[in-house]
């Protein structure tokens, strides 16, 4: 990819955190690290040099990938813009909808709210890595069988959250399914069929 | 003209229906019921042909498209709800490394916060974002109004020369005054609905690519033809040179029914740079630049007999859809219940926000909320069961039992 920003720049810890996109989680992180009122903190002696760009490696869908990352670059940007793994969707890009959900060492995370450097050395599973060859993961199959999508844009995020849920809880009740997927939004309003798919996938996985 | 029967004559043309609304009659008999088990497709599960692509993340929505040499565009938008544009200076943005083109998009009066001012195309989104910060714009800020109530005041800044309040719908049936005179009880209530943003899962996105004089646009749209025709007009080229493709769309709900301004920007930047250009709106832009369901303030006044028979219905609505007209919301009131005397007055109130757009059953959502809320309260006022009140005024035909028969309704079976 063409890159026009090779010039060295020093980034303060504050600027770095503020370069994260908005949203509740970002604001929360910034105020925890920076004190209650980030805006009142003056730049000056407390500044910390971070990096202008850094080479990192992570494992995505079983493959090791290495690249230069820039401050503020999110895991979502890396997946989509660098690796072209566009199954992970940029939906709100502010930690509120779950459209960008991937598994980080098996745990569901919003990739729009994780920095690429935070994922350094970690194992990432995206929707593209879920099936084994032509064989779909039971959750994927259940989404097809239960017709659990309308536009399908939220589907990858829902599937990843469902996989994480079923990993922890082999036989979730409807309420547990709802709680497990409460971090994902479907604007088409297809929740009932999504919940049905998770229940069906749980059955299929128990049967083996 | 001989009346045709829809079930007997499946070839009845829509055009004929439109020209002669009385040309069809309701089904006089049920079609012979075939057992569901004998149907080949109806009632049977059929997996969607794109299912596998959706669940494996390989379905490519517009925002997922990356083509060789592609640039990304970002749009600078007005922070002011009302202003005159004095000047735009693109020079610093143009010299920012990685920027390939920049465009001025506005002159004259800005009428809503979010209007396009300028755009840049750069090697990636972040570069384009940085470059936007270097565009210098001088505005002469003017007074604005975004509240519907304030816009109706005498002293409010004028959004349209013809005034901030304009009649948008009128309908009369029977004699409303006579109806109120015949009534035992006259009852009036006001219902308000507020704006509702579509917030499609996939934000509005377009990718434009020229091959010589031919333009191909991948668009997150509900209407490829209207985008094609709109682009042809906007760029002054024949529609035959424009091809619009949509494979997958992450929700539209009415907000993706026509050509978007940013799509024209992508096409212009692509022409200027000779490279494909993609523009993906942010969630914030989707929140205030691509429409919403307009608000309604509906005052419904009914004249009723003691037994609940409606004899007069007056529906007055102030709808608000920003710089555009809001929705007509009267249809449920004019149509659903039998009532001989009906009067409708609807007005659009103009304010300094982006224009509204169609949103799932435009006008009916607001209008039904108003009407059915009213029926509940009217029933309480009459000491009647709400369902009984509705059945009492049940109408099997639209326009209060004077129009075409409903194909399905079912209220009488409740
Ligand atoms: S796109 Fe990350 S949470 Fe919405
Ligand atoms: S299927 Fe459209 S957002 Fe969920």
């Amino acid at each position: 990819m063409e890159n026009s920003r090779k010039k060295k720049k020093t980034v303060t810890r504050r600027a770095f955190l503020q370069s994260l996109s908005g949203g509740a989680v970002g604001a929360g992180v910034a105020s925890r690290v920076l004190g209650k009122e980030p805006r009142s903190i003056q730049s000056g002696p407390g500044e910390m040099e971070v990096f202008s760009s850094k080479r990192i490696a992570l494992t995505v869908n079983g493959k090791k990938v290495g690249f230069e990352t820039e401050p503020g670059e999110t895991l979502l940007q890396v997946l989509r813009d660098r690796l072209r793994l566009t199954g992970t969707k940029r939906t709100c890009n502010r930690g509120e909808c779950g459209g960008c959900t991937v598994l980080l060492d098996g745990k569901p995370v919003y990739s729009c709210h994780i920095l690429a450097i935070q994922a350094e050395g970690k194992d990432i599973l995206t929707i593209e890595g879920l099936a084994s060859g032509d064989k779909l993961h039971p959750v994927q199959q259940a989404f097809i069988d239960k017709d659990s999508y309308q536009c399908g844009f939220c589907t990858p995020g829902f599937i990843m959250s469902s996989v994480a849920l079923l990993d922890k809880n082999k036989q979730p009740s409807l309420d547990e399914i709802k709680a497990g997927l409460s971090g994902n939004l479907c604007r088409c309003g297809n929740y009932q069929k999504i919940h049905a798919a998770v229940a069906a996938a749980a059955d299929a996985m128990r049967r083996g | 003209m001989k009346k045709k029967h829809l079930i007997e004559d499946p070839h009845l043309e829509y055009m004929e229906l439109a020209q002669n609304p009385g040309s069809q009659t309701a089904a006089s008999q049920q079609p012979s019921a075939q057992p569901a088990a004998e149907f080949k497709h109806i009632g049977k599960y059929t997996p969607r042909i794109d299912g596998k692509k959706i669940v494996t993340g390989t379905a490519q929505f517009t925002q997922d498209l990356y083509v060789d040499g592609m640039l990304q565009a970002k749009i600078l938008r007005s922070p002011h709800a009302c202003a005159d544009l004095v000047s735009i200076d693109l020079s610093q943005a143009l010299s920012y490394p990685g920027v390939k083109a920049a465009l001025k998009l506005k002159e004259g009066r800005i009428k809503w916060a979010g209007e396009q001012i300028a755009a840049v195309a750069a090697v990636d989104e972040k570069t384009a974002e940085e470059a936007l910060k270097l565009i210098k714009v001088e505005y002469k800020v003017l007074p604005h109004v975004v509240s519907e109530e304030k816009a109706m005041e005498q002293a409010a800044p004028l959004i349209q020369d013809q005034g901030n309040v304009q009649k948008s719908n009128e309908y009369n049936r029977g004699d409303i005054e006579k109806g109120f005179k015949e009534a035992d009880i006259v009852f009036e209530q006001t219902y308000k609905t507020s704006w509702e943003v579509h917030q499609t899962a996939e934000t509005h996105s377009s990718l434009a690519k020229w091959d010589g004089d031919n333009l191909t646009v991948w668009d997150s749209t509900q209407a490829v033809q209207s985008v094609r025709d709109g682009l042809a007009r906007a760029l002054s080229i024949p529609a035959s040179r424009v091809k619009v493709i949509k494979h997958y769309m992450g929700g539209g709900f009415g907000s993706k029914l026509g050509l978007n301004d940013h799509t024209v920007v992508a096409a212009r930047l692509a022409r200027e740079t000779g490279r494909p250009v993609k523009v993906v709106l942010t969630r914030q832009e989707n929140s205030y630049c691509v429409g919403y369901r307009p608000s309604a303030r509906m005052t419904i006044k009914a004249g009723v007999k003691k037994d609940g028979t409606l004899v007069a219905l007056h529906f007055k609505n102030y709808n608000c859809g920003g710089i555009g007209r809001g929705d007509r919301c009267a249809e449920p009131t004019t149509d659903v219940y039998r009532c001989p005397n009906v009067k409708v007055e609807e007005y659009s109130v103009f304010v300094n926000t982006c224009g509204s757009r169609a949103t799932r059953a435009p006008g009916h959502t607001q209008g039904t909320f108003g009407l059915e809320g009213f029926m509940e309260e009217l029933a309480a006022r009459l000491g009647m069961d709400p369902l009984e009140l509705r059945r009492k005024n049940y109408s099997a035909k639209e326009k209060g039992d004077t129009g075409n028969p409903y194909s399905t309704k079912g209220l009488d079976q409740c």
Side-chain angles (χ1 to χ4, degrees):
Chain A
M1 195 170 75
E2 202 171 336
N3 193 337
S4 61
R5 294 185 309 281
K6 279 280 175 262
K7 58 179 188 227
K8 284 272 169 214
K9 43 188 174 187
T10 308
V11 178
T12 66
R13 187 174 56 147
R14 177 169 168 245
F16 174 73
L17 284 161
Q18 286 179 343
S19 71
L20 291 173
S21 53
V25 180
V29 171
S31 54
R32 260 204 315 286
V33 179
L34 300 172
K36 279 234 156 54
E37 286 166 9
R39 280 178 188 286
S40 71
I41 292 180
Q42 300 298 309
S43 44
E47 285 182 7
M48 193 174 94
E49 263 208 14
V50 185
F51 60 89
S52 58
S53 91
K54 184 181 177 189
R55 192 156 183 87
I56 63 165
L58 29 112
T59 307
V60 180
N61 299 334
K63 282 198 210 87
K64 206 154 182 181
V65 290
F67 53 87
E68 295 270 321
T69 184
E70 293 168 21
E73 185 169 16
T74 63
L75 178 57
L76 177 66
Q77 286 173 312
V78 169
L79 294 173
R80 293 180 57 86
D81 295 340
R82 291 184 190 274
L83 307 178
R84 300 283 193 265
L85 291 169
T86 55
T88 304
K89 302 301 180 202
R90 184 176 94 177
T91 309
C92 68
N93 205 26
R94 48 184 294 145
E96 288 174 0
C97 76
C100 63
T101 304
V102 299
L103 303 190
L104 184 92
D105 286 343
K107 289 204 183 65
V109 293
Y110 291 163
S111 61
C112 71
H113 249 275
I114 296 262
L115 291 175
I117 45 158
Q118 289 175 295
E120 186 172 8
K122 300 253 167 47
D123 241 307
I124 317 290
L125 183 66
T126 75
I127 189 75
E128 289 91 347
L130 200 54
S132 357
D134 256 0
K135 188 157 171 33
L136 296 179
H137 185 281
V139 172
Q140 290 172 310
Q141 189 58 51
F143 268 68
I144 294 180
D145 294 342
K146 297 291 172 189
D147 195 29
S148 304
Y149 32 67
Q150 288 183 46
C151 75
F153 199 79
C154 68
T155 310
F158 267 100
I159 290 178
M160 297 316 287
S161 295
S162 306
V163 168
L165 167 68
L166 295 180
D167 193 45
K168 276 201 319 218
N169 183 347
K170 306 274 175 250
Q171 202 167 356
S173 65
L174 179 59
D175 280 345
E176 287 166 340
I177 292 173
K178 287 182 183 172
L181 300 182
S182 59
N184 292 72
L185 297 178
C186 172
R187 274 304 275 171
C188 298
N190 211 26
Y191 295 102
Q192 283 191 353
K193 287 183 169 183
I194 293 170
H195 299 153
V198 178
D203 285 348
M205 287 164 81
R206 275 200 316 278
R207 284 197 310 269
Chain B
M1 188 190 144
K2 186 177 164 282
K3 291 211 170 188
K4 288 194 185 175
H5 195 295
L6 271 180
I7 290 166
E8 286 158 5
D9 182 4
H11 304 294
L12 191 64
E13 299 279 338
Y14 284 120
M15 191 48 80
E16 191 184 332
L17 267 178
Q19 285 162 354
N20 302 298
S23 63
Q24 102 274 30
T25 60
S28 56
Q29 57 180 50
Q30 291 296 315
S32 62
Q34 188 181 351
E38 286 172 24
F39 286 126
K40 194 166 163 209
H41 298 295
I42 297 171
K44 301 274 190 309
Y45 169 70
T46 306
R48 265 169 58 172
I49 53 169
D50 51 6
K52 190 161 180 190
K53 286 195 163 178
I54 289 173
V55 303
T56 52
T58 49
Q60 286 195 309
F61 295 76
T62 303
Q63 68 156 246
D64 300 333
L65 301 171
Y66 291 77
V67 296
D68 284 346
M70 185 182 88
L71 302 172
Q72 303 234 24
K74 282 275 168 194
I75 294 163
L76 182 71
R77 296 179 180 276
S78 170
H80 305 296
C82 190
D84 278 333
L85 194 70
V86 180
S87 65
I88 306 176
D89 178 0
L90 299 174
S91 54
Q92 279 195 43
L94 274 166
S95 58
Y96 190 71
V99 170
K100 302 295 176 192
L103 289 176
K104 294 180 185 176
L105 299 173
K106 184 78 194 174
E107 43 190 36
R109 178 68 49 88
I110 292 155
K111 287 192 171 177
W112 52 280
E115 264 196 74
Q116 298 189 146
I117 302 298
V120 296
V123 290
D124 57 30
E125 253 186 321
K126 196 171 166 196
T127 308
E129 254 163 42
E130 292 298 319
L132 281 193
K133 297 178 194 158
L134 301 173
I135 298 175
K136 294 216 166 59
V137 188
E138 206 185 318
Y139 299 98
K140 180 168 175 271
V141 180
L142 300 167
H144 68 270
V145 60
V146 291
S147 129
E148 172 215 323
E149 268 100 2
K150 292 226 169 75
M152 293 176 72
E153 288 170 9
Q154 272 298 311
L158 264 192
I159 297 14
Q160 296 220 352
D161 294 341
Q162 309 93 299
N164 289 352
V165 183
Q166 292 174 35
K167 187 165 249 181
S168 60
N169 190 22
E170 204 180 331
Y171 172 83
N172 288 292
R173 182 165 80 223
D175 181 344
I176 191 80
E177 292 310 324
K178 188 170 139 274
F180 280 123
K181 273 196 204 106
E182 287 169 9
D184 296 326
I185 296 160
V186 174
F187 184 65
E188 180 182 308
Q189 289 289 37
T190 296
Y191 301 87
K192 290 186 194 178
T193 61
S194 79
W195 292 357
E196 193 187 346
V197 180
H198 308 78
Q199 290 299 12
T200 54
E202 181 192 25
T203 59
H204 294 53
S205 322
S206 311
L207 166 61
K209 182 171 178 281
W210 291 86
D211 293 296
D213 288 338
N214 295 317
L215 172 66
T216 305
V217 168
W218 289 263
D219 199 23
S220 181
T221 182
Q222 295 171 256
V224 286
Q225 293 91 343
S226 74
V227 174
R228 177 201 58 201
D229 296 347
L231 277 167
R233 274 192 298 274
L235 300 166
S236 304
I237 56 173
S240 57
R241 298 247 175 84
V242 185
K243 183 170 171 185
V244 177
I245 301 171
K246 186 233 22 195
H247 288 139
Y248 292 90
M249 178 190 67
F253 316 133
S255 74
K256 295 179 180 171
L257 280 171
L259 175 69
N260 281 285
D261 295 340
H262 60 258
T263 310
V264 182
V265 171
R268 286 180 59 194
L269 286 168
R271 189 162 58 186
E272 185 147 332
T273 56
R275 291 168 66 165
V277 172
K278 181 164 85 168
V279 55
V280 178
L281 297 197
T282 62
R283 181 56 53 190
Q284 191 188 20
E285 286 174 303
N286 250 65
S287 305
Y288 69 100
C289 302
V290 288
Y292 51 87
R293 187 199 297 284
S295 65
R297 182 153 55 87
M298 301 162 280
T299 299
I300 306 179
K301 184 175 165 190
V304 270
K305 293 286 196 193
K306 281 204 190 75
D307 68 354
T309 307
L310 288 167
V311 288
L313 267 177
H314 183 206
F315 181 88
K316 188 170 183 182
N317 178 28
Y318 290 96
N319 57 53
C320 182
I323 57 158
R325 281 180 190 272
D327 287 344
R328 296 171 169 199
C329 305
E331 204 170 307
T333 300
T334 58
D335 278 37
V336 175
Y337 297 110
R338 196 177 342 101
C339 179
N341 307 302
V342 179
K343 183 178 175 65
V344 167
E345 300 167 78
E346 296 198 81
Y347 300 89
S348 283
V349 182
F350 297 89
V351 298
N352 290 110
T353 63
C354 144
S356 66
R357 294 189 182 180
T359 312
R360 311 192 79 165
H364 280 244
T365 306
Q366 302 97 311
T368 301
F369 173 78
L371 176 66
E372 297 305 335
F374 182 80
M375 293 300 274
E376 288 293 309
E377 295 199 83
L378 180 61
R381 172 76 171 71
L382 292 164
M384 245 181 118
D385 177 75
L387 180 58
E388 212 34 61
L389 175 66
R390 290 178 170 94
R391 288 161 65 111
K392 181 113 208 148
N393 295 287
Y394 180 77
S395 164
K397 294 182 191 157
E398 53 164 12
K399 296 268 174 286
D401 237 6
T402 63
N404 286 323
Y406 286 110
S407 48
T408 52
K409 196 173 185 191
L411 174 63
D412 57 339
Q413 286 147 39
C414 284

